C-alpha cells in the first residue's frame, strides 16, 4: 500500500510542477460551454467572442506583461458536465478566472466550484438571478430575468396593446421557469391576464397537445421563453395547428439556427435581447467587423456578451495588478462605466450588470430592431 | 369537444409513426423470437440517410414535392435495409444457435454501438431535416386543423401494413416465415432456406423503420444520433401491447399508445407523457402478457 501512496505523491508533484511551469509566463483563463448539443451555437459563439477579445489583447502586448491563454471545455449542454469542467479548469489547468456559462442551469452547476476555490467566475449571459447569489466570486455582465421578463410584458402591453397572454415554458430550465414567472408578474400588474399556462421539457419533439390547449384559451400572444431548438419546433407546430398570434421570447432565441429550424413559422415573432447589430456606436460596429473578419459570421448577442465579459476580466486584472483570487475579485466587483459592446457595464452590489434591453422582430430571416427598453 | 378532436388527430399521426417502427420489431420477433433492440437505431439511420440524401444527392433548390419525398423515402429504406442486413449477418447470425440471452445482450450492444458511433460520425449536435413534402393546413372548421403531413403519414403506414399482411399470410415467403416462427429446426429439415427467409425479414423490417425515420423527420425536423432511443422503446412497448409477433396487433398497439400519450399530455400533464408508455408496459405484462391480440402463451426471455 505504501508504494502506491508514494507513487501518487510523486505523480501529483510532477503534475503540479508541469502546471506551474505553464502559469509562469502566461495567464490562463478558462471557459466552459455547450460546444455540442441542442444549444451548441451558444457555446461556440461564447468561446469565439472570448477568443477575439484575447487575440486583440495579446496583439497589444497582453496584460501585466504576459500573454493570455484560453482553456475551453465542452459540457455537451449537461449540468453535471458543466460542474466537472469547472473543477478541471480550476484544479488541473489552474486558471485565474472562469468565463461561462450561457444557460443559467449550467452556470448554477459550475458556480459553487468557483466560489469554493475562490476563483472569480463571470457569466457572460446567464440571466437567472440565482446565479450570482451563489457567492461573492460570481459575477455577470448581462441584465437579469426580473428585468428581461418585464421587457416583453411592457412591450406587449404598451407598444402592441395586447391584453391576453398564454405562457409555454420549459419545466427543465431554470432560465425558462424564472423568466416566465417574472413576465407573468409584470404583465398582470400592468393589467393584462394570463389565460393559459403549459409546460414542455427540453428535448421534446412533439408539442401539439399543449399547443392545442393553449390555442383553445384564445390568447392574443404566446410567451415562449425557451432555447432556440425547441422554440423553432414549437413555432412550426403552432402554425400547423392554425395558431396565427405572435410568439414572443427572450435571449434564448438568439441563434441563426432558429430560422433554420422554424423557417417561415418564426417570421414576425418578437424576442428581448442584449444588443442589436443595427446599433451605430463605434464599439459595436468595430466588434462586428472584427468578428466577421475572424469567424466569417455576424456575431449574435452571446458572442457580444462573452467579448464584453473577457474585456471586463482583462480590465480588472490590469486594475488589480495581480491574478490572485481575492484581489482580482475586488477589482471585478469595482467595475464601473466600462464601455462594452452590449452597453455601459457597471456592476451593482449583487454583482449583476444593469443595462437596457432591446426588442427584436424576426423579419425575412433577420433580427430587426423594434424598441429599446430601459430598466 | 373540438380540442378532443384535435388531440385525436395529433395522436393518430404520432401513433402511425410508432406503428411503422413497431412492425419491424414484431416481424423480427415473429420469426426469430428475438427482440431486436437495435431497431430504434435502424430507425435513426433511416432518418439520417434521408437527411444526407436530400442534402447531397438532390440538386440545390429542389422544390418539395411528393416525388422528392418518395425518392428520399426510398433512399432511407435502402440505407436502413443495408444496415439491418449487416447487423443480422455479423451480430445475430453467428449466434443463431447460442442461448437467447446472448443474442438479446448482443442486440443491446449493437444499439449502443450505433448510438455512440452515430455521435462520432454525424456529430452530437442536432441537425435539421429539410422540407421535402409540400405542406398545407386543412381547416376542418371549428378551429380544428388537419395537416397534409399527418394524412400522408397515416396513409403510408396503413398501406405498408396491408402489404405486409398480404406478404405474411398469402405468399409462399410468408408461409416459410410462419413455419420458421413455429420451429426453426423443423423448417430447416423440411427444406426451407432459413437464412434466406431471415435475411429478407430483416430487409423488410429495417426498410419499414427507415421509412418511419423519414416520416418522423418530416413531422419533427430535429434529428440527432440518440433519436432512436425513445421512439424505439415506445414502438417496442406498442408491439408488446398489441401482442408481439402479431402484425395487426402492432399497429393497434401503436395507435393506442400515440392516442393515450397525446390525451395525457393534453388533459393531465406533458410531464407524464413518457412515463405513460412504461406504465402501459408494466400493466400489459402483469394483466395480459400476451398482449391485446397475442396468444396466452408465456415466453421466457
Amino acid at each position: 500500500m505504501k508504494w502506491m501512496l508514494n507513487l501518487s505523491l510523486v505523480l501529483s508533484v510532477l503534475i503540479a510542477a508541469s502546471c506551474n511551469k505553464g502559469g509562469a509566463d502566461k495567464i490562463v483563463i478558462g471557459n466552459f460551454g455547450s460546444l455540442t448539443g441542442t444549444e451548441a451555437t451558444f457555446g461556440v459563439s461564447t468561446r469565439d467572442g472570448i477568443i477575439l477579445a484575447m487575440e486583440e489583447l495579446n496583439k497589444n502586448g497582453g496584460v501585466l506583461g504576459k500573454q493570455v491563454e484560453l482553456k475551453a471545455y465542452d459540457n455537451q449542454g449537461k449540468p453535471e458536465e458543466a460542474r466537472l469542467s469547472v473543477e478541471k479548469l480550476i484544479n488541473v489547468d489552474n486558471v485565474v478566472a472562469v468565463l461561462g456559462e450561457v444557460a443559467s442551469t449550467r452556470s448554477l452547476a459550475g458556480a459553487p466550484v468557483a466560489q469554493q476555490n475562490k476563483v472569480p467566475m463571470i457569466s457572460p449571459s446567464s440571466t437567472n438571478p440565482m446565479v450570482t447569489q451563489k457567492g461573492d466570486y460570481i459575477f455577470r455582465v448581462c441584465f437579469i430575468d426580473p428585468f428581461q421578463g418585464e421587457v416583453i410584458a411592457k412591450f406587449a402591453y404598451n407598444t402592441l396593446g395586447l391584453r391576453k397572454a398564454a405562457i409555454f415554458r420549459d419545466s427543465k430550465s431554470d432560465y425558462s421557469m424564472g423568466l416566465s414567472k417574472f413576465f407573468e408578474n409584470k404583465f398582470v400588474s400592468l393589467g393584462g391576464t394570463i389565460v393559459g399556462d403549459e409546460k414542455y421539457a427540453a428535448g421534446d419533439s412533439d408539442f401539439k397537445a399543449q399547443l392545442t390547449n393553449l390555442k383553445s384559451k384564445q390568447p392574443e400572444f404566446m410567451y415562449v421563453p425557451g432555447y432556440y431548438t425547441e422554440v423553432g419546433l414549437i413555432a412550426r407546430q403552432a402554425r400547423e395547428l392554425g395558431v396565427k398570434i405572435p410568439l414572443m421570447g427572450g435571449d434564448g432565441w438568439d441563434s441563426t439556427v432558429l430560422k433554420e429550424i422554424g423557417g417561415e413559422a418564426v417570421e414576425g415573432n418578437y424576442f428581448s435581447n442584449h444588443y442589436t447589430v443595427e446599433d451605430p456606436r463605434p464599439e459595436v460596429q468595430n466588434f462586428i467587423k472584427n468578428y466577421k473578419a475572424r469567424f466569417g459570421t455576424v456575431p449574435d448577442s452571446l458572442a457580444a456578451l462573452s467579448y464584453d465579459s473577457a474585456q471586463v476580466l482583462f480590465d480588472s486584472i490590469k486594475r488589480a495588478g495581480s491574478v490572485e483570487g481575492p484581489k482580482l475579485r475586488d477589482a471585478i466587483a469595482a467595475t464601473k462605466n466600462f464601455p462594452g459592446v452590449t452597453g455601459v457595464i457597471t456592476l451593482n452590489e449583487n454583482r449583476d450588470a444593469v443595462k437596457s434591453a432591446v426588442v427584436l422582430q424576426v423579419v425575412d430571416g433577420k433580427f430587426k430592431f423594434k424598441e429599446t427598453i430601459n430598466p | 369537444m373540438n380540442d378532443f378532436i384535435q388531440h385525436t388527430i395529433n395522436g393518430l399521426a404520432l401513433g402511425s409513426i410508432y406503428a411503422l417502427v413497431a412492425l419491424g420489431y414484431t416481424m423480427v420477433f415473429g420469426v426469430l423470437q428475438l427482440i431486436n433492440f437495435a431497431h430504434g437505431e435502424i430507425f435513426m439511420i433511416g432518418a439520417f440517410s434521408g437527411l444526407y440524401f436530400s442534402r447531397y444527392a438532390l440538386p440545390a433548390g429542389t422544390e418539395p414535392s411528393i416525388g422528392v419525398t418518395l425518392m428520399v423515402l426510398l433512399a432511407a429504406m435502402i440505407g436502413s435495409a443495408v444496415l439491418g442486413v449487416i447487423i443480422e449477418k455479423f451480430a445475430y447470425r453467428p449466434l443463431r444457435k447460442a442461448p437467447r440471452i446472448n443474442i438479446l445482450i448482443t442486440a443491446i450492444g449493437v444499439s449502443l454501438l450505433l448510438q455512440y458511433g452515430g455521435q462520432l460520425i454525424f456529430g452530437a449536435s442536432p441537425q435539421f431535416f429539410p422540407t421535402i413534402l409540400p405542406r398545407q393546413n386543412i381547416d376542418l372548421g371549428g378551429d380544428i386543423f388537419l395537416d397534409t403531413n399527418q394524412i400522408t403519414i397515416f396513409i403510408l403506414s396503413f398501406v405498408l401494413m396491408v402489404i405486409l399482411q398480404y406478404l405474411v399470410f398469402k405468399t409462399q415467403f410468408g408461409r416459410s416465415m410462419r413455419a420458421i416462427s413455429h420451429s426453426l429446426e423443423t423448417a430447416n429439415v423440411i427444406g426451407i432456406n432459413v437464412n434466406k427467409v431471415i435475411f429478407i425479414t430483416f430487409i423488410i423490417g429495417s426498410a419499414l423503420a427507415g421509412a418511419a425515420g423519414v416520416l418522423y423527420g418530416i413531422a419533427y425536423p430535429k434529428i440527432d444520433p440518440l433519436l432512436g432511443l425513445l421512439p424505439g422503446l415506445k414502438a417496442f412497448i406498442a408491439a408488446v401491447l398489441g401482442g408481439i409477433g402479431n402484425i395487426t396487433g402492432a399497429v393497434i398497439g401503436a395507435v393506442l399508445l400515440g392516442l393515450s400519450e397525446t390525451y395525457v399530455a393534453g388533459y393531465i400533464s406533458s410531464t407524464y407523457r413518457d412515463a405513460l408508455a412504461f406504465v402501459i408496459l408494466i400493466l400489459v405484462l402483469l394483466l395480459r402478457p400476451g398482449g391485446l391480440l397475442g396468444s396466452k402463451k408465456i415466453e421466457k426471455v
Side-chain angles (χ1 to χ4, degrees):
Chain A
M1 271 327 260
K2 205 166 173 208
W3 66 271
M4 267 177 86
L5 188 73
N6 287 336
L7 184 69
S8 63
L9 270 176
V10 170
L11 275 178
S12 55
V13 167
L14 278 177
I15 290 168
S18 65
C19 289
N20 285 338
K21 220 171 106 192
D25 50 349
K26 275 186 180 134
I27 293 175
V28 186
I29 60 170
N31 165 241
F32 65 116
S34 51
L35 300 177
T36 58
T38 49
E39 287 125 38
T41 69
F42 287 173
V44 173
S45 292
T46 299
R47 184 197 58 195
D48 290 352
I50 298 171
I51 289 177
L52 184 66
M54 183 183 74
E55 286 176 352
E56 288 175 3
L57 179 85
N58 284 342
K59 217 185 291 168
N60 295 324
V63 64
L64 304 184
K66 291 177 183 174
Q67 295 280 298
V68 175
E69 189 184 301
L70 174 69
K71 282 273 177 200
Y73 289 122
D74 179 21
N75 59 37
Q76 301 156 32
K78 296 174 187 159
E80 61 278 13
E81 291 288 332
R83 191 189 163 89
L84 284 176
S85 303
V86 177
E87 278 174 358
K88 208 165 147 197
L89 285 170
I90 292 174
N91 296 327
V92 179
D93 299 313
N94 292 326
V95 298
V96 302
V98 177
L99 300 175
E101 234 266 13
V102 177
S104 299
T105 302
R106 296 193 288 276
S107 285
L108 285 167
V113 183
Q115 178 66 28
Q116 273 162 23
N117 290 289
K118 296 199 186 308
V119 172
M121 167 173 147
I122 307 177
S123 165
S125 42
S126 284
T127 47
N128 189 294
M130 289 187 300
V131 171
T132 47
Q133 289 162 14
K134 285 284 167 192
D136 58 352
Y137 276 76
I138 317 298
F139 302 86
R140 81 177 104 214
V141 294
C142 56
F143 51 64
I144 54 174
D145 285 338
F147 169 62
Q148 185 173 202
E150 281 183 15
V151 169
I152 287 293
K154 282 184 187 164
F155 174 75
Y157 194 91
N158 297 333
T159 310
L160 299 181
L162 303 175
R163 296 292 177 265
K164 286 195 292 180
I167 300 177
F168 194 20
R169 55 176 105 189
D170 176 358
S171 60
K172 267 191 182 172
S173 149
D174 293 317
Y175 161 79
S176 186
M177 293 300 279
L179 202 44
S180 301
K181 190 181 81 194
F182 299 121
F183 162 78
E184 183 177 352
N185 292 347
K186 184 69 188 179
F187 194 67
V188 169
S189 79
L190 284 171
T193 44
I194 308 292
V195 294
D197 193 341
E198 289 277 344
K199 292 190 183 81
Y200 66 92
D204 283 357
S205 292
D206 184 72
F207 305 95
K208 284 195 169 167
Q210 298 98 306
L211 286 170
T212 302
N213 285 346
L214 290 178
K215 190 179 87 165
S216 71
K217 307 277 172 45
Q218 297 177 322
E220 290 168 334
F221 70 101
M222 209 182 276
Y223 190 53
V224 193
Y227 294 130
Y228 60 89
T229 301
E230 279 84 18
V231 169
L233 292 173
I234 289 170
R236 240 174 209 264
Q237 292 176 22
R239 298 300 179 242
E240 284 169 16
L241 288 169
V243 175
K244 293 189 186 71
I245 53 171
L247 309 184
M248 301 191 198
D251 54 341
W253 285 31
D254 189 10
S255 168
T256 47
V257 178
L258 178 72
K259 295 162 278 183
E260 201 187 316
I261 315 166
E264 284 287 296
V266 294
E267 283 289 309
N269 298 326
Y270 305 92
F271 66 98
S272 50
N273 207 355
H274 303 270
Y275 99 121
T276 164
V277 290
E278 295 169 49
D279 190 332
R281 281 189 304 131
E283 290 98 330
V284 179
Q285 292 308 321
N286 282 334
F287 166 69
I288 295 173
K289 199 180 77 203
N290 296 338
Y291 189 93
K292 257 174 133 171
R294 175 71 171 83
F295 299 108
T297 52
V298 176
D300 53 25
S301 68
L302 289 320
L305 284 168
S306 74
Y307 181 83
D308 279 356
S309 71
Q311 297 267 51
V312 166
L313 175 63
F314 301 150
D315 180 64
S316 305
I317 294 177
K318 210 181 296 165
R319 280 186 285 113
S322 158
V323 291
E324 277 169 50
K327 281 188 191 156
L328 184 52
R329 191 220 82 88
D330 293 343
I332 299 172
T335 299
K336 225 181 165 74
N337 296 327
F338 184 85
V341 172
T342 58
V344 178
I345 299 168
T346 298
L347 296 183
N348 66 10
E349 70 282 6
N350 299 322
R351 299 169 300 284
D352 300 326
V354 180
K355 294 190 311 197
S356 56
V358 293
V359 176
L360 305 180
Q361 184 180 25
V362 188
V363 179
D364 296 327
K366 296 218 158 48
F367 299 146
K368 287 233 58 85
F369 172 73
K370 287 296 285 183
E371 198 178 326
T372 299
I373 294 191
N374 293 310
Chain B
M1 188 58 208
N2 288 349
D3 279 6
F4 179 76
I5 298 172
Q6 185 75 63
H7 285 314
T8 307
I9 292 173
N10 300 341
L12 283 175
L14 187 64
S16 314
I17 296 177
Y18 289 158
L20 281 175
V21 187
L23 284 173
Y25 264 115
T26 231
M27 272 180 67
V28 171
F29 185 85
V31 174
L32 282 180
Q33 257 79 66
L34 158 72
I35 295 165
N36 182 10
F37 275 113
H39 198 66
E41 279 57 54
I42 296 176
F43 162 82
M44 176 271 287
I45 294 292
F48 272 100
S49 309
L51 174 75
Y52 284 107
F53 178 80
S54 47
R55 191 181 287 169
Y56 298 113
L58 295 175
T62 308
E63 286 294 308
S65 72
I66 303 265
V68 169
T69 309
L70 290 178
M71 264 156 62
V72 173
L73 211 54
L74 193 69
M77 288 169 89
I78 293 172
S80 290
V82 169
L83 179 73
V85 165
I86 292 173
I87 294 173
E88 196 273 327
K89 181 119 174 47
F90 292 102
Y92 301 152
R93 190 174 297 183
L95 294 173
R96 183 107 3 109
K97 300 218 161 52
R100 196 164 299 156
I101 193 83
N102 296 17
I103 310 186
L104 194 74
I105 290 167
T106 307
I108 295 172
V110 171
S111 162
L112 291 175
L113 175 75
L114 289 170
Q115 281 172 23
Y116 294 98
Q119 292 200 353
L120 200 67
I121 297 165
F122 308 127
S125 301
Q127 303 190 41
F128 302 98
F129 210 81
T131 308
I132 51 171
L133 187 65
R135 199 192 61 77
Q136 235 172 352
N137 276 352
I138 301 171
D139 192 344
L140 300 179
D143 225 17
I144 301 167
F145 285 85
L146 186 59
D147 178 347
T148 43
N149 282 353
Q150 292 175 324
I151 305 177
T152 316
I153 292 169
F154 195 74
I155 292 177
L156 248 156
S157 36
F158 186 74
V159 167
L160 287 170
M161 185 192 96
V162 171
I163 295 176
L164 205 59
Q165 193 77 359
Y166 174 81
L167 209 67
V168 172
F169 289 103
K170 303 278 184 215
T171 63
Q172 182 63 40
F173 165 73
R175 195 170 298 135
S176 319
M177 226 174 104
R178 281 179 291 142
I180 293 174
S181 113
H182 274 289
S183 165
L184 201 135
E185 284 79 20
T186 321
N188 208 354
V189 166
I190 59 170
I192 293 173
N193 187 341
V194 172
N195 276 341
K196 191 175 144 199
V197 173
I198 292 175
F199 185 78
I200 295 173
T201 306
F202 265 88
I203 289 184
I204 298 173
S206 306
L208 287 177
V214 170
L215 295 178
Y216 188 89
I218 291 173
Y220 309 110
K222 187 189 78 176
I223 311 282
D224 65 69
L226 298 183
L227 168 82
L229 193 62
L230 214 50
L233 275 176
K234 287 181 180 170
F236 166 66
I237 292 167
V240 172
L241 172 63
I244 192 149
N246 184 313
I247 286 171
T248 324
V251 174
I252 292 176
V255 170
L256 280 179
L257 187 64
L259 281 175
S260 32
E261 274 193 7
T262 313
Y263 292 145
V264 163
Y267 291 112
I268 303 172
S269 163
S270 61
T271 321
Y272 299 117
R273 182 213 300 261
D274 292 337
L276 174 80
F278 300 99
V279 171
I280 290 181
L281 178 67
I282 293 167
L283 288 181
V284 171
L285 292 179
L286 281 178
L287 304 175
R288 209 183 147 83
L292 295 177
L293 303 185
S295 58
K296 285 269 170 63
K297 180 179 73 177
I298 295 173
E299 279 285 343
K300 250 200 201 160
V301 176

